[in-house]
Amino acid sequence: MKRGLLLCFFGLLLIQIGFGQSWRRVGDWGNDYKSIKWVNTNVGFIGGENILLKSIDGGLSWVELKLPMRLDVMDLSFFDEQNGILLSENGQIFKTINAGISWTSPSYPADLKLNKVLHVDENRLMISGENGLVLRSVNAGQSWTVSNLPTEAIINKIFFVDPELGYAVSSNAEIFKTLNTGESWEKYDSGFDVSLNSLYFINDTIGYAVGDQGAIIKTEDGALNWQFINSGIDTDLTDVVFNPSYPLIGVISGDGGTILRTTNAGLTFIEVNPRSDQDIESLSIRPNTNNVLGVASSGVVISSNNTGSSWSIRLSGTASDFRGVAFTTDMKGYVVGDDGLILLTSDGGNRFTDRSRPISLPFNSLFFNSANIGFISGDNGNIISTRNSGANWTTLNPGTNKNVNGLYFFDFNKGIAVGDQGLITITENQGVNWQTVSSGMANYNLKDVFFFNENDGVIIGEKGLVLISSNGGFDWEKVNIGSNADLKAIAILDEVTAIAVSTSSAVFKTRDKGLNWEPLQTGFNTPLSDIAFLDESVGFITGENGLIIRTFDGGDSWEKLETGTFQNFTGISFGDLNVGYVVGENGIFYQYTCQVPDVIPTIFGEDNICLSQQIYSIQDLGLDGEEYDWRVDGGSVIQGQGSSRVVVRWDTPGRNAVMVRGKNSCGNGETTALEVIVSEEPKQTTTIQGEGVVCVNTLEEYMVDSIPGTEYFWEATGGVVREGQGTSAITIEWTNLNEQRLTVSSINPCGQGPTTQKDIRVITIPDQPSVISGNVRVGFQEADYEITGEQDINYQWSIGSGGEIISGQGTPSIRVDWTTPGDHVVEVTPINACNQGPSRVLSVNVNLITSVAEEAEDENIEIFPSPSFGGDIHVALKGIAGVNYIGVYNAMGLKIKEVPTNEGQFVYFINNLPKGLHVLIIRTRTSEFKRKILVL
């Protein structure tokens, strides 16, 4: 028993491992279903809009089969599990003899409008169509012949009671009957004027037909006469079935989720809630059961286990085509699509919250900076943003009505959008304002944009267009990739590498930020739609017909992953390294789960070393299939790559790193890094930066250039290191005056380097300067003033408003140009790095008298009395001719007396002069004479 349980456990484990490494459908298909048929109690088929489903468990689960081509299934019929016929919307007929693994197209008349097919028996089949068309086959569908009915109406349904007896209904309310397997038909008038869409006979005489406007009719005489049954509704009815075991019970389907049920052979019908409002196209009862299933639009399959009395939803999808997906975590993501569709999920797609916008245009792309903040773009220039997970949307105005196909945002503020007709537009304020950038590519539709960093980016588009930018997207340059393939999407692998995919299956790779491109061979000739890379190695590509391929080597080789669908995928996104999502047409939604190795918590080893070989290790959990990928900056792994212990040879000094990540069949785990400082023999430090003249009892900072992994030993005479010892920057308190010394040497694991020295002069607040020497009585003239100077002192002089210091400011001596009479002060203040000391002052009198130069005694001019005690004087001039001016000025330079002059007069009297020292000025045409006058 224990052995059996153990085997069971390992079996389940293997199933989980296999399941965990594949893509699985989340939710149901959203295709419009047209037909459902059962072969037996367990095996059934559903056909519809580009889809064919099969169940082998009575409808509990369904798998998708590959169609012979991309087509809409109008109807299908299987005689048994192996042999079946499909009708396409375009009138094509396909046959399978191996349960849909492969299909052939038999010989049949071309250009026919066909709608229904059924097996009469194993070899005899019938197909109905427009204009009374009926095709017959007597060789299991290998060939077909035309057997038209006598009408121009559409034959909507054929039903056979036995291999010979059959009935048909038309869009003109006509009834047809055959007694020879359709070789000939007899026409009956139903007596109504609505289209009859389906019929069902419970025996050779009793039958029911349903049609538009709620029409229900019944015959009890093999179609000779028909009676009207009131349905109580005017909805178009689409199909009718009766329980073969209980022929009194019947079910009718119709548009808008209509289900009618009778339990009395049609005497009355009651309306039943089918749990859906979709148009129900077809009904089918599982053989030997009371289980009725109905198929409808939007991927709806309803089921009743009591022949229609109550119903449940077995399948239900989303009819919209999904166009893009972005997951911000392993569970939280966003999906966009047609008609303004926006869906939010927080549980990996099991449930969606509808955040759609009320528009009829599609959204094409989306970009989220965080779990809550994102941007969505679409046709007609639509760009919207949200800051609260789509609870509210802000419509942005990019200033264009061109379709916007791609978005990239550097941060919350700066982003770029690209679109049709060469559209490139940039925002730097969260999309409030946009600046259109000229691409010069108006004939190209741009599809996607991505940036390696804040400057270098790539735009791709139709007809092989690639543009690159090196300035953040403001200028673009076209590069040639050697192909006209319509590029669709791009993914960045690392700081220089990217891969682009196209709708023609071509794939291209750049290793230099888009400057050059090389084609990659995937081995699959299928149009591609999107691409996503988890790191520089592991990536996925999606395409049409359910294609997903994966690479583990950066695109050099690819493998196909089974998806179990043939729907077209349109977008892919990974929330983290373990969980990814793919979306596509008809609401298809897939999830990928594959557990990459957990992040490695710690790398053990030395992180501050000299150039050498070192051992680094991690804790090995011993997980099967897991190995370790080591990388080294500044050195190389010389032993142990792939294991939990490596030997590294360090080659380059500086700030380096050793990195490791786990690898398994799912991909690469997150990288763990250990920063390692690698040193060489220490050299002399750079020059010590800092003040060479400092104040006593102050704190000063000094520094040298810092080298990683190096310590610095500082010493100072006359000071104390208060902060930073061991680092490249210190703070010293200087405690002693006069000449001191600061030294530093570098120390690292390789040894100690030579010493660097800086001389320091420690000073204090300056003393009061010496006495100022210089003239204390001056006139309007230049004069010098001087003190005894000392080293490292700046002398700041001031003289008030008496004149101007014309030279020497800051030095021990100055020159002053005195211009204003009066008493003034010359002041000098000593200043050094510590502070300013006490000032020294000198009082100076400035006047005009002092400025008059003493002239040699001139016997030709006599002034008496001198001095004058009353203010009256007379002036005698001997031999001075041509006197034209005589004036007296006081010490302030103001004229106080002017004496008129006369030709030939040589003696002048001047009276009433005020007391004081004055200047007498005598002028001739050629000379000027000045004499001082003292009045007491």
Side-chain angles (χ1 to χ4, degrees):
M1 181 65 179
K2 290 182 179 178
R3 183 172 180 270
L5 290 174
L6 186 62
L7 290 174
C8 181
F9 169 77
F10 279 115
L12 290 174
L13 181 61
L14 290 173
I15 291 173
Q16 288 177 349
I17 291 174
F19 179 78
Q21 296 187 28
S22 63
W23 292 85
R24 70 178 184 91
R25 179 172 49 83
V26 179
D28 300 319
W29 299 268
N31 308 59
D32 292 339
Y33 299 140
K34 291 291 187 180
S35 178
I36 179 171
K37 299 289 173 62
W38 290 98
V39 175
N40 52 47
T41 303
N42 295 316
V43 179
F45 296 87
I46 293 175
E49 178 189 9
N50 190 42
I51 197 166
L52 176 63
L53 302 179
K54 179 181 180 180
S55 175
I56 59 174
D57 56 9
L60 297 177
S61 63
W62 297 83
V63 296
E64 190 174 347
L65 301 181
K66 186 176 182 180
L67 288 167
M69 59 185 297
R70 189 172 178 84
L71 56 85
D72 291 346
V73 178
M74 287 296 294
D75 197 18
L76 55 85
S77 179
F78 276 76
F79 177 76
D80 54 29
E81 189 173 344
Q82 300 296 319
N83 296 279
I85 297 290
L86 291 184
L87 296 185
S88 80
E89 186 179 37
N90 296 325
Q92 297 161 300
I93 303 174
F94 296 94
K95 171 181 172 62
T96 182
I97 58 174
N98 53 11
I101 296 175
S102 62
W103 297 85
T104 59
S105 182
S107 174
Y108 61 92
D111 300 324
L112 300 178
K113 298 294 185 179
L114 310 177
N115 54 23
K116 298 293 181 180
V117 58
L118 81 158
H119 278 83
V120 178
D121 54 29
E122 182 177 4
N123 293 310
R124 292 182 290 182
L125 294 90
M126 305 200 72
I127 294 175
S128 62
E130 295 184 1
N131 297 317
L133 174 68
V134 172
L135 296 182
R136 299 177 62 245
S137 174
V138 294
N139 54 9
Q142 296 182 35
S143 61
W144 298 83
T145 59
V146 175
S147 177
N148 284 337
L149 274 65
T151 182
E152 295 181 357
I154 301 172
I155 306 303
N156 284 325
K157 185 71 175 287
I158 299 175
F159 184 92
F160 270 77
V161 178
D162 58 42
E164 305 296 330
L165 174 61
Y167 296 89
V169 293
S170 78
S171 59
N172 285 344
E174 299 159 318
I175 310 293
F176 301 91
K177 180 178 180 179
T178 179
L179 299 174
N180 52 15
T181 319
E183 292 184 13
S184 61
W185 294 84
E186 186 175 356
K187 179 179 176 181
Y188 296 91
D189 185 6
S190 67
F192 301 95
D193 59 357
V194 297
S195 173
L196 296 178
N197 301 320
S198 183
L199 77 165
Y200 189 96
F201 273 74
I202 63 175
N203 54 40
D204 58 350
T205 58
I206 301 176
Y208 303 82
V210 298
D212 289 353
Q213 301 178 29
I216 305 174
I217 58 176
K218 178 180 179 181
T219 181
E220 296 180 343
D221 55 9
L224 295 176
N225 298 285
W226 293 85
Q227 56 182 313
F228 174 75
I229 298 175
N230 185 12
S231 67
I233 59 175
D234 60 359
T235 304
D236 291 346
L237 304 180
T238 55
D239 204 2
V240 54
V241 295
F242 275 76
N243 192 326
S245 301
Y246 303 97
L248 297 179
I249 302 175
V251 181
I252 296 173
S253 64
D255 290 350
T258 298
I259 291 290
L260 302 178
R261 183 174 187 259
T262 182
T263 59
N264 52 18
L267 292 178
T268 58
F269 282 88
I270 61 172
E271 193 166 1
V272 182
N273 183 5
R275 311 295 180 185
S276 173
D277 59 359
Q278 299 296 320
D279 294 341
I280 303 171
E281 299 287 345
S282 177
L283 297 172
S284 182
I285 297 180
R286 286 174 55 214
N288 305 314
T289 74
N290 296 322
N291 185 202
V292 184
L293 283 89
V295 296
S297 53
S298 299
V300 171
V301 176
I302 58 175
S303 176
S304 172
N305 290 323
N306 48 21
T307 321
S309 178
S310 60
W311 295 82
S312 62
I313 300 293
R314 184 64 58 83
L315 298 178
S316 179
T318 301
S320 295
D321 290 338
F322 294 160
R323 290 174 173 255
V325 57
F327 267 73
T328 56
T329 70
D330 60 338
M331 290 286 107
K332 184 174 184 178
Y334 303 82
V335 177
V336 298
D338 290 347
D339 299 321
L341 179 72
I342 304 173
L343 301 178
L344 164 66
T345 180
S346 297
D347 60 3
N350 292 305
R351 291 181 300 273
F352 284 99
T353 301
D354 195 337
R355 304 291 197 197
S356 299
R357 303 288 288 169
I359 59 175
S360 60
L361 299 171
F363 285 124
N364 301 320
S365 66
L366 62 172
F367 193 99
F368 274 76
N369 299 99
S370 69
N372 301 319
I373 300 176
F375 301 81
I376 294 175
S377 69
D379 284 2
N380 200 39
N382 271 311
I383 301 180
I384 60 177
S385 68
T386 181
R387 303 184 69 86
N388 55 8
S389 300
N392 302 102
W393 292 96
T394 300
T395 300
L396 307 179
N397 181 19
T400 181
N401 62 353
K402 299 174 183 177
N403 297 340
V404 182
N405 303 317
L407 292 171
Y408 181 86
F409 273 77
F410 300 85
D411 50 38
F412 294 149
N413 293 307
K414 183 180 178 181
I416 183 168
V418 300
D420 288 358
Q421 301 175 40
L423 173 68
I424 304 175
T425 183
I426 294 178
T427 180
E428 296 185 285
N429 57 4
Q430 303 178 33
V432 176
N433 302 106
W434 294 81
Q435 173 186 349
T436 299
V437 175
S438 175
S439 67
M441 300 294 159
N443 294 327
Y444 293 82
N445 293 331
L446 310 183
K447 293 298 184 178
D448 202 3
V449 55
F450 225 108
F451 275 76
F452 297 94
N453 51 51
E454 62 182 9
N455 295 314
D456 300 305
V458 178
I459 292 175
I460 61 170
E462 295 177 348
K463 295 180 283 189
L465 178 68
V466 172
L467 304 175
I468 61 174
S469 173
S470 59
N471 63 355
F474 290 97
D475 295 288
W476 294 88
E477 174 188 357
K478 182 181 179 182
V479 298
N480 183 15
I481 68 169
S483 171
N484 290 323
D486 291 335
L487 302 179
K488 183 67 167 60
I490 186 172
I492 301 297
L493 281 65
D494 57 32
E495 56 271 9
V496 297
T497 309
I499 294 180
V501 300
S502 73
T503 58
S504 61
S505 80
V507 180
F508 302 90
K509 183 174 184 178
T510 178
R511 306 176 193 268
D512 53 11
K513 301 181 182 179
L515 189 60
N516 296 285
W517 295 79
E518 59 183 286
L520 298 180
Q521 301 301 319
T522 66
F524 300 95
N525 188 25
T526 301
L528 307 175
S529 57
D530 203 3
I531 180 171
F533 264 76
L534 304 183
D535 53 34
E536 78 286 355
S537 302
V538 182
F540 298 79
I541 293 176
T542 60
E544 293 186 1
N545 299 319
L547 179 70
I548 300 179
I549 57 177
R550 176 176 63 182
T551 179
F552 282 109
D553 53 18
D556 292 338
S557 62
W558 296 86
E559 62 174 332
K560 182 179 180 181
L561 300 179
E562 293 302 323
T563 61
T565 186
F566 303 97
Q567 305 301 304
N568 293 341
F569 288 132
T570 56
I572 183 171
S573 175
F574 276 78
D576 61 19
L577 295 177
N578 302 309
V579 184
Y581 297 88
V582 163
V583 299
E585 63 178 348
N586 296 308
I588 201 75
F589 187 90
Y590 269 65
Q591 182 190 65
Y592 171 87
T593 54
C594 195
Q595 185 65 45
V596 301
D598 291 334
V599 61
I600 297 167
T602 306
I603 299 175
F604 302 100
E606 296 294 330
D607 60 0
N608 192 0
I609 59 173
C610 194
L611 287 170
S612 60
Q613 293 182 9
Q614 297 289 326
I615 295 174
Y616 295 91
S617 64
I618 57 175
Q619 183 180 5
D620 189 357
L621 299 178
L623 299 176
D624 291 339
E626 184 169 331
E627 59 183 42
Y628 302 101
D629 179 28
W630 294 83
R631 291 183 294 128
V632 177
D633 289 342
S636 57
V637 177
I638 61 175
Q639 183 180 333
Q641 180 64 271
S643 71
S644 61
R645 178 183 180 274
V646 293
V647 178
V648 174
R649 183 184 67 238
W650 293 107
D651 304 317
T652 305
R655 192 181 299 274
N656 298 313
V658 57
M659 294 161 282
V660 64
R661 64 185 177 186
K663 294 177 58 177
N664 62 16
S665 60
C666 294
N668 304 317
E670 293 185 25
T671 298
T672 297
L674 173 67
E675 184 179 66
V676 179
I677 306 302
V678 181
S679 302
E680 55 185 344
E681 289 290 336
K683 299 180 176 60
Q684 187 167 21
T685 68
T686 58
T687 302
I688 299 174
Q689 303 296 316
E691 293 294 336
V693 178
V694 298
C695 298
V696 69
N697 298 325
T698 59
L699 298 175
E700 296 290 339
E701 294 181 352
Y702 297 89
M703 68 184 64
V704 294
D705 289 350
S706 177
I707 298 176
T710 301
E711 294 184 358
Y712 298 87
F713 179 69
W714 299 81
E715 289 183 301
T717 63
V720 179
V721 178
R722 296 300 186 192
E723 292 181 5
Q725 183 65 271
T727 71
S728 62
I730 60 165
T731 300
I732 291 184
E733 181 180 4
W734 294 105
T735 57
N736 296 340
L737 291 169
N738 301 322
E739 304 299 325
Q740 306 296 341
R741 185 178 67 254
L742 175 63
T743 61
V744 63
S745 59
S746 56
I747 302 172
N748 66 22
C750 303
Q752 183 169 355
T755 298
T756 301
Q757 177 176 314
K758 182 179 181 69
D759 293 329
I760 307 295
R761 187 166 184 270
V762 184
I763 60 176
T764 187
I765 295 174
D767 296 329
Q768 186 179 36
S770 63
V771 175
I772 301 172
S773 63
N775 293 330
V776 296
R777 291 182 63 85
V778 296
F780 303 145
Q781 64 191 62
E782 296 180 359
D784 295 330
Y785 298 89
E786 185 177 6
I787 58 173
T788 301
E790 296 183 11
Q791 184 180 357
D792 300 322
I793 296 179
N794 180 290
Y795 294 98
Q796 288 297 307
W797 297 81
S798 64
I799 59 172
S801 58
E804 178 184 4
I805 299 173
I806 59 177
S807 65
Q809 182 65 276
T811 70
S813 63
I814 61 170
R815 174 162 291 181
V816 177
D817 181 13
W818 296 105
T819 58
T820 304
D823 292 323
H824 302 287
V825 173
V826 176
E827 182 179 10
V828 60
T829 302
I831 301 174
N832 64 12
C834 304
N835 210 330
Q836 66 181 39
S839 300
R840 179 74 71 177
V841 297
L842 175 67
S843 298
V844 177
N845 178 264
V846 180
N847 59 72
L848 178 63
I849 303 303
T850 306
S851 67
V852 175
E854 292 292 334
E855 297 178 351
E857 189 69 24
D858 191 343
E859 298 178 350
N860 293 328
I861 300 176
E862 294 181 354
I863 300 174
F864 54 91
S866 180
S868 170
F869 291 91
D872 298 331
I873 63 172
H874 69 272
V875 179
L877 306 176
K878 298 179 181 180
I880 298 177
V883 174
N884 56 24
Y885 178 79
I886 298 175
V888 181
Y889 292 80
N890 63 17
M892 302 298 294
L894 299 176
K895 183 169 66 175
I896 58 175
K897 183 73 72 173
E898 182 176 348
V899 181
T901 60
N902 297 298
E903 185 71 27
Q905 183 177 348
F906 298 100
V907 177
Y908 292 89
F909 294 93
I910 302 175
N911 303 316
N912 301 320
L913 293 175
K915 293 180 180 181
L917 183 63
H918 308 301
V919 177
L920 173 67
I921 297 178
I922 302 171
R923 296 193 187 104
T924 68
R925 288 188 300 272
T926 59
S927 302
E928 181 178 86
F929 304 92
K930 296 179 180 179
R931 290 292 185 271
K932 294 179 181 179
I933 301 172
L934 180 59
V935 179
L936 300 177

